[in-house]
Amino acid sequence: MMGRSAITVTIASAMLLQTGPLPARADDGPRFPTRTIEQLNPEQKVVAAEVLKQSSAGLGGPYAMLINSPELLKRYLLMTEYLRQKTSLPKHLNEMAILLEARIWDAQYEWWAHEPLARKAGLSEAIINDIRDGKRPSALQPDEAIVYDFVTELLHKKQLSDETFARAKQILGDQQVVDLAAVTGFYVMVSAVIAAGRVGIPNGGPAPMPVLVK
């Protein structure tokens, strides 16, 4: 007979996805309310003006939390400008890396914000759907395959094998490897802010990803 722990593992393994919402709690709302410009202090107002130039959620989303540390937010915006607009990675690969990180961290807001950007950048619908469902996409170009392997290995194993690193350098080149590692790590930080601040989908919208059973 199987022990209780073995039975638990067997049941969990048999369930791939939990598509319903997580049970609601009274305190499920965001921990930092979205404020208007008028509610900010002078230092916050300066950086808020920069946020509004690039944010799809105004001063909501992670910015509702980050605005409380305006100097940090200034530097955050500089990083996002580089990693989204000036990176050496082709945009569809960059957005693919962000979606992979969002999937692994179950960062619903991050997926909501970047799925349309990935589609606009040319990432295929099939790849987007498979990543959303926690699957390795079946049809990947060599550069897409190494991005998938690089990001998932780095985040799941917290290290990168010599084989994966060498293949990434061969396919992407030195600068793109550095930028890929950076965008992966940066969006872990974004996901940490989203989780800590309990950032939800704007206007109470539904979660865009199924919750993976782990």
Side-chain angles (χ1 to χ4, degrees):
M1 295 180 63
M2 290 192 296
R4 182 177 297 176
S5 61
I7 292 172
T8 301
V9 170
T10 300
I11 293 172
S13 299
M15 299 174 62
L16 176 62
L17 295 176
Q18 175 183 320
T19 55
L22 292 174
R25 300 193 310 253
D27 59 349
D28 266 347
R31 287 179 165 140
F32 289 88
T34 300
R35 287 176 285 174
T36 65
I37 289 287
E38 292 72 26
Q39 293 172 312
L40 302 178
N41 66 38
E43 187 180 9
Q44 291 170 337
K45 287 180 180 179
V46 171
V47 71
E50 296 303 314
V51 169
L52 294 175
K53 292 178 182 178
Q54 60 176 276
S55 170
S56 59
L59 296 177
Y63 299 109
M65 181 171 178
L66 291 168
I67 196 71
N68 293 282
S69 183
E71 185 62 32
L72 170 64
L73 181 50
K74 289 177 189 176
R75 297 168 190 271
Y76 175 100
L77 291 173
L78 289 173
M79 284 295 293
T80 55
E81 181 187 17
Y82 176 80
L83 291 173
R84 289 178 55 186
Q85 307 299 333
K86 299 180 180 179
T87 177
S88 64
L89 274 173
K91 286 193 175 181
H92 73 291
L93 298 181
N94 199 56
E95 291 297 332
M96 180 180 175
I98 295 170
L99 290 187
L100 284 165
E101 188 283 325
R103 174 66 280 178
I104 291 169
W105 263 72
D106 291 326
Q108 299 284 355
Y109 177 92
E110 195 172 319
W111 184 280
W112 170 85
H114 283 273
E115 180 183 355
L117 297 177
R119 190 175 290 111
K120 183 179 179 180
L123 193 64
S124 77
E125 202 70 33
I127 291 176
I128 292 172
N129 291 339
D130 282 344
I131 292 174
R132 181 194 293 113
D133 293 339
K135 303 173 184 176
R136 181 187 177 89
S138 57
L140 292 170
Q141 296 299 315
D143 56 354
E144 295 167 339
I146 191 55
V147 167
Y148 184 94
D149 293 342
F150 188 106
V151 173
T152 56
E153 184 176 320
L154 192 58
L155 294 184
H156 284 305
K157 297 184 178 180
K158 299 178 178 62
Q159 58 184 326
L160 199 64
S161 69
D162 289 341
E163 187 277 331
T164 302
F165 180 75
R167 189 157 53 93
K169 281 192 66 173
Q170 179 183 17
I171 294 171
L172 301 176
D174 288 356
Q175 184 177 356
Q176 289 189 22
V177 166
V178 173
D179 285 355
L180 178 57
V183 75
T184 301
F186 181 80
Y187 277 90
V188 168
M189 185 273 281
V190 176
S191 290
V193 169
I194 288 169
R198 203 178 281 145
V199 175
I201 306 302
N203 302 314
M209 290 188 291
V211 177
L212 298 182
V213 176
K214 299 179 180 178

mmCIF file with all atom_site columns, all heavy atoms in Angstrom, residues 38-52:
data_model
loop_
_atom_site.group_PDB
_atom_site.id
_atom_site.type_symbol
_atom_site.label_atom_id
_atom_site.label_alt_id
_atom_site.label_comp_id
_atom_site.label_asym_id
_atom_site.label_entity_id
_atom_site.label_seq_id
_atom_site.pdbx_PDB_ins_code
_atom_site.Cartn_x
_atom_site.Cartn_y
_atom_site.Cartn_z
_atom_site.occupancy
_atom_site.B_iso_or_equiv
_atom_site.pdbx_formal_charge
_atom_site.auth_seq_id
_atom_site.auth_comp_id
_atom_site.auth_asym_id
_atom_site.auth_atom_id
_atom_site.pdbx_PDB_model_num
ATOM 1   N N   . GLU A 1 38 ? -2.371 64.300 -7.574  1.00 0.00 ? 38 GLU A N   1
ATOM 2   C CA  . GLU A 1 38 ? -2.586 65.269 -6.494  1.00 0.00 ? 38 GLU A CA  1
ATOM 3   C C   . GLU A 1 38 ? -2.268 64.692 -5.119  1.00 0.00 ? 38 GLU A C   1
ATOM 4   O O   . GLU A 1 38 ? -1.980 65.436 -4.173  1.00 0.00 ? 38 GLU A O   1
ATOM 5   C CB  . GLU A 1 38 ? -4.038 65.769 -6.512  1.00 0.00 ? 38 GLU A CB  1
ATOM 6   C CG  . GLU A 1 38 ? -4.401 66.620 -7.723  1.00 0.00 ? 38 GLU A CG  1
ATOM 7   C CD  . GLU A 1 38 ? -4.507 65.813 -9.010  1.00 0.00 ? 38 GLU A CD  1
ATOM 8   O OE1 . GLU A 1 38 ? -4.787 64.596 -8.933  1.00 0.00 ? 38 GLU A OE1 1
ATOM 9   O OE2 . GLU A 1 38 ? -4.291 66.410 -10.089 1.00 0.00 ? 38 GLU A OE2 1
ATOM 10  N N   . GLN A 1 39 ? -2.307 63.383 -4.982  1.00 0.00 ? 39 GLN A N   1
ATOM 11  C CA  . GLN A 1 39 ? -2.049 62.736 -3.689  1.00 0.00 ? 39 GLN A CA  1
ATOM 12  C C   . GLN A 1 39 ? -0.567 62.441 -3.448  1.00 0.00 ? 39 GLN A C   1
ATOM 13  O O   . GLN A 1 39 ? -0.217 61.937 -2.388  1.00 0.00 ? 39 GLN A O   1
ATOM 14  C CB  . GLN A 1 39 ? -2.850 61.433 -3.604  1.00 0.00 ? 39 GLN A CB  1
ATOM 15  C CG  . GLN A 1 39 ? -4.353 61.642 -3.552  1.00 0.00 ? 39 GLN A CG  1
ATOM 16  C CD  . GLN A 1 39 ? -5.107 60.324 -3.663  1.00 0.00 ? 39 GLN A CD  1
ATOM 17  O OE1 . GLN A 1 39 ? -4.844 59.500 -4.531  1.00 0.00 ? 39 GLN A OE1 1
ATOM 18  N NE2 . GLN A 1 39 ? -6.051 60.122 -2.750  1.00 0.00 ? 39 GLN A NE2 1
ATOM 19  N N   . LEU A 1 40 ? 0.281  62.772 -4.407  1.00 0.00 ? 40 LEU A N   1
ATOM 20  C CA  . LEU A 1 40 ? 1.701  62.449 -4.297  1.00 0.00 ? 40 LEU A CA  1
ATOM 21  C C   . LEU A 1 40 ? 2.495  63.642 -3.778  1.00 0.00 ? 40 LEU A C   1
ATOM 22  O O   . LEU A 1 40 ? 2.102  64.794 -3.960  1.00 0.00 ? 40 LEU A O   1
ATOM 23  C CB  . LEU A 1 40 ? 2.242  62.046 -5.675  1.00 0.00 ? 40 LEU A CB  1
ATOM 24  C CG  . LEU A 1 40 ? 1.553  60.861 -6.367  1.00 0.00 ? 40 LEU A CG  1
ATOM 25  C CD1 . LEU A 1 40 ? 2.173  60.628 -7.739  1.00 0.00 ? 40 LEU A CD1 1
ATOM 26  C CD2 . LEU A 1 40 ? 1.613  59.600 -5.515  1.00 0.00 ? 40 LEU A CD2 1
ATOM 27  N N   . ASN A 1 41 ? 3.645  63.338 -3.163  1.00 0.00 ? 41 ASN A N   1
ATOM 28  C CA  . ASN A 1 41 ? 4.526  64.421 -2.745  1.00 0.00 ? 41 ASN A CA  1
ATOM 29  C C   . ASN A 1 41 ? 5.346  64.902 -3.947  1.00 0.00 ? 41 ASN A C   1
ATOM 30  O O   . ASN A 1 41 ? 5.329  64.262 -5.007  1.00 0.00 ? 41 ASN A O   1
ATOM 31  C CB  . ASN A 1 41 ? 5.407  63.989 -1.563  1.00 0.00 ? 41 ASN A CB  1
ATOM 32  C CG  . ASN A 1 41 ? 6.399  62.898 -1.937  1.00 0.00 ? 41 ASN A CG  1
ATOM 33  O OD1 . ASN A 1 41 ? 6.963  62.887 -3.036  1.00 0.00 ? 41 ASN A OD1 1
ATOM 34  N ND2 . ASN A 1 41 ? 6.632  61.970 -1.011  1.00 0.00 ? 41 ASN A ND2 1
ATOM 35  N N   . PRO A 1 42 ? 6.063  66.010 -3.839  1.00 0.00 ? 42 PRO A N   1
ATOM 36  C CA  . PRO A 1 42 ? 6.771  66.567 -5.000  1.00 0.00 ? 42 PRO A CA  1
ATOM 37  C C   . PRO A 1 42 ? 7.739  65.593 -5.660  1.00 0.00 ? 42 PRO A C   1
ATOM 38  O O   . PRO A 1 42 ? 7.804  65.537 -6.904  1.00 0.00 ? 42 PRO A O   1
ATOM 39  C CB  . PRO A 1 42 ? 7.504  67.774 -4.410  1.00 0.00 ? 42 PRO A CB  1
ATOM 40  C CG  . PRO A 1 42 ? 6.640  68.212 -3.273  1.00 0.00 ? 42 PRO A CG  1
ATOM 41  C CD  . PRO A 1 42 ? 6.102  66.938 -2.680  1.00 0.00 ? 42 PRO A CD  1
ATOM 42  N N   . GLU A 1 43 ? 8.507  64.829 -4.885  1.00 0.00 ? 43 GLU A N   1
ATOM 43  C CA  . GLU A 1 43 ? 9.452  63.879 -5.479  1.00 0.00 ? 43 GLU A CA  1
ATOM 44  C C   . GLU A 1 43 ? 8.712  62.779 -6.231  1.00 0.00 ? 43 GLU A C   1
ATOM 45  O O   . GLU A 1 43 ? 9.122  62.368 -7.325  1.00 0.00 ? 43 GLU A O   1
ATOM 46  C CB  . GLU A 1 43 ? 10.339 63.268 -4.394  1.00 0.00 ? 43 GLU A CB  1
ATOM 47  C CG  . GLU A 1 43 ? 11.452 62.395 -4.949  1.00 0.00 ? 43 GLU A CG  1
ATOM 48  C CD  . GLU A 1 43 ? 12.327 61.785 -3.874  1.00 0.00 ? 43 GLU A CD  1
ATOM 49  O OE1 . GLU A 1 43 ? 11.966 61.898 -2.677  1.00 0.00 ? 43 GLU A OE1 1
ATOM 50  O OE2 . GLU A 1 43 ? 13.354 61.178 -4.217  1.00 0.00 ? 43 GLU A OE2 1
ATOM 51  N N   . GLN A 1 44 ? 7.616  62.317 -5.663  1.00 0.00 ? 44 GLN A N   1
ATOM 52  C CA  . GLN A 1 44 ? 6.824  61.285 -6.325  1.00 0.00 ? 44 GLN A CA  1
ATOM 53  C C   . GLN A 1 44 ? 6.183  61.803 -7.601  1.00 0.00 ? 44 GLN A C   1
ATOM 54  O O   . GLN A 1 44 ? 6.085  61.076 -8.595  1.00 0.00 ? 44 GLN A O   1
ATOM 55  C CB  . GLN A 1 44 ? 5.750  60.768 -5.358  1.00 0.00 ? 44 GLN A CB  1
ATOM 56  C CG  . GLN A 1 44 ? 6.309  59.974 -4.185  1.00 0.00 ? 44 GLN A CG  1
ATOM 57  C CD  . GLN A 1 44 ? 5.257  59.693 -3.119  1.00 0.00 ? 44 GLN A CD  1
ATOM 58  O OE1 . GLN A 1 44 ? 4.261  60.410 -3.013  1.00 0.00 ? 44 GLN A OE1 1
ATOM 59  N NE2 . GLN A 1 44 ? 5.483  58.651 -2.334  1.00 0.00 ? 44 GLN A NE2 1
ATOM 60  N N   . LYS A 1 45 ? 5.757  63.066 -7.604  1.00 0.00 ? 45 LYS A N   1
ATOM 61  C CA  . LYS A 1 45 ? 5.130  63.629 -8.799  1.00 0.00 ? 45 LYS A CA  1
ATOM 62  C C   . LYS A 1 45 ? 6.094  63.656 -9.986  1.00 0.00 ? 45 LYS A C   1
ATOM 63  O O   . LYS A 1 45 ? 5.689  63.409 -11.129 1.00 0.00 ? 45 LYS A O   1
ATOM 64  C CB  . LYS A 1 45 ? 4.620  65.040 -8.504  1.00 0.00 ? 45 LYS A CB  1
ATOM 65  C CG  . LYS A 1 45 ? 3.371  65.085 -7.634  1.00 0.00 ? 45 LYS A CG  1
ATOM 66  C CD  . LYS A 1 45 ? 2.931  66.525 -7.378  1.00 0.00 ? 45 LYS A CD  1
ATOM 67  C CE  . LYS A 1 45 ? 1.682  66.561 -6.512  1.00 0.00 ? 45 LYS A CE  1
ATOM 68  N NZ  . LYS A 1 45 ? 1.255  67.958 -6.221  1.00 0.00 ? 45 LYS A NZ  1
ATOM 69  N N   . VAL A 1 46 ? 7.356  63.948 -9.714  1.00 0.00 ? 46 VAL A N   1
ATOM 70  C CA  . VAL A 1 46 ? 8.342  64.011 -10.795 1.00 0.00 ? 46 VAL A CA  1
ATOM 71  C C   . VAL A 1 46 ? 8.479  62.654 -11.479 1.00 0.00 ? 46 VAL A C   1
ATOM 72  O O   . VAL A 1 46 ? 8.441  62.545 -12.709 1.00 0.00 ? 46 VAL A O   1
ATOM 73  C CB  . VAL A 1 46 ? 9.707  64.484 -10.253 1.00 0.00 ? 46 VAL A CB  1
ATOM 74  C CG1 . VAL A 1 46 ? 10.790 64.333 -11.328 1.00 0.00 ? 46 VAL A CG1 1
ATOM 75  C CG2 . VAL A 1 46 ? 9.619  65.933 -9.799  1.00 0.00 ? 46 VAL A CG2 1
ATOM 76  N N   . VAL A 1 47 ? 8.629  61.596 -10.696 1.00 0.00 ? 47 VAL A N   1
ATOM 77  C CA  . VAL A 1 47 ? 8.801  60.272 -11.298 1.00 0.00 ? 47 VAL A CA  1
ATOM 78  C C   . VAL A 1 47 ? 7.483  59.747 -11.849 1.00 0.00 ? 47 VAL A C   1
ATOM 79  O O   . VAL A 1 47 ? 7.466  59.002 -12.837 1.00 0.00 ? 47 VAL A O   1
ATOM 80  C CB  . VAL A 1 47 ? 9.431  59.290 -10.283 1.00 0.00 ? 47 VAL A CB  1
ATOM 81  C CG1 . VAL A 1 47 ? 8.471  58.917 -9.170  1.00 0.00 ? 47 VAL A CG1 1
ATOM 82  C CG2 . VAL A 1 47 ? 9.933  58.026 -10.995 1.00 0.00 ? 47 VAL A CG2 1
ATOM 83  N N   . ALA A 1 48 ? 6.354  60.146 -11.258 1.00 0.00 ? 48 ALA A N   1
ATOM 84  C CA  . ALA A 1 48 ? 5.051  59.728 -11.776 1.00 0.00 ? 48 ALA A CA  1
ATOM 85  C C   . ALA A 1 48 ? 4.848  60.222 -13.202 1.00 0.00 ? 48 ALA A C   1
ATOM 86  O O   . ALA A 1 48 ? 4.258  59.521 -14.040 1.00 0.00 ? 48 ALA A O   1
ATOM 87  C CB  . ALA A 1 48 ? 3.932  60.244 -10.877 1.00 0.00 ? 48 ALA A CB  1
ATOM 88  N N   . ALA A 1 49 ? 5.355  61.404 -13.508 1.00 0.00 ? 49 ALA A N   1
ATOM 89  C CA  . ALA A 1 49 ? 5.236  61.926 -14.868 1.00 0.00 ? 49 ALA A CA  1
ATOM 90  C C   . ALA A 1 49 ? 5.966  61.034 -15.865 1.00 0.00 ? 49 ALA A C   1
ATOM 91  O O   . ALA A 1 49 ? 5.504  60.836 -16.993 1.00 0.00 ? 49 ALA A O   1
ATOM 92  C CB  . ALA A 1 49 ? 5.794  63.353 -14.928 1.00 0.00 ? 49 ALA A CB  1
ATOM 93  N N   . GLU A 1 50 ? 7.096  60.453 -15.446 1.00 0.00 ? 50 GLU A N   1
ATOM 94  C CA  . GLU A 1 50 ? 7.829  59.526 -16.302 1.00 0.00 ? 50 GLU A CA  1
ATOM 95  C C   . GLU A 1 50 ? 7.093  58.200 -16.436 1.00 0.00 ? 50 GLU A C   1
ATOM 96  O O   . GLU A 1 50 ? 7.076  57.589 -17.502 1.00 0.00 ? 50 GLU A O   1
ATOM 97  C CB  . GLU A 1 50 ? 9.236  59.309 -15.746 1.00 0.00 ? 50 GLU A CB  1
ATOM 98  C CG  . GLU A 1 50 ? 10.102 60.556 -15.742 1.00 0.00 ? 50 GLU A CG  1
ATOM 99  C CD  . GLU A 1 50 ? 10.243 61.163 -17.136 1.00 0.00 ? 50 GLU A CD  1
ATOM 100 O OE1 . GLU A 1 50 ? 10.506 60.406 -18.096 1.00 0.00 ? 50 GLU A OE1 1
ATOM 101 O OE2 . GLU A 1 50 ? 10.071 62.396 -17.267 1.00 0.00 ? 50 GLU A OE2 1
ATOM 102 N N   . VAL A 1 51 ? 6.487  57.754 -15.346 1.00 0.00 ? 51 VAL A N   1
ATOM 103 C CA  . VAL A 1 51 ? 5.705  56.515 -15.386 1.00 0.00 ? 51 VAL A CA  1
ATOM 104 C C   . VAL A 1 51 ? 4.595  56.617 -16.423 1.00 0.00 ? 51 VAL A C   1
ATOM 105 O O   . VAL A 1 51 ? 4.370  55.702 -17.228 1.00 0.00 ? 51 VAL A O   1
ATOM 106 C CB  . VAL A 1 51 ? 5.101  56.201 -13.993 1.00 0.00 ? 51 VAL A CB  1
ATOM 107 C CG1 . VAL A 1 51 ? 4.063  55.074 -14.097 1.00 0.00 ? 51 VAL A CG1 1
ATOM 108 C CG2 . VAL A 1 51 ? 6.188  55.828 -13.001 1.00 0.00 ? 51 VAL A CG2 1
ATOM 109 N N   . LEU A 1 52 ? 3.904  57.737 -16.429 1.00 0.00 ? 52 LEU A N   1
ATOM 110 C CA  . LEU A 1 52 ? 2.749  57.897 -17.307 1.00 0.00 ? 52 LEU A CA  1
ATOM 111 C C   . LEU A 1 52 ? 3.129  57.915 -18.789 1.00 0.00 ? 52 LEU A C   1
ATOM 112 O O   . LEU A 1 52 ? 2.269  57.739 -19.645 1.00 0.00 ? 52 LEU A O   1
ATOM 113 C CB  . LEU A 1 52 ? 1.991  59.165 -16.934 1.00 0.00 ? 52 LEU A CB  1
ATOM 114 C CG  . LEU A 1 52 ? 1.327  59.135 -15.540 1.00 0.00 ? 52 LEU A CG  1
ATOM 115 C CD1 . LEU A 1 52 ? 0.707  60.483 -15.211 1.00 0.00 ? 52 LEU A CD1 1
ATOM 116 C CD2 . LEU A 1 52 ? 0.292  58.026 -15.460 1.00 0.00 ? 52 LEU A CD2 1
#
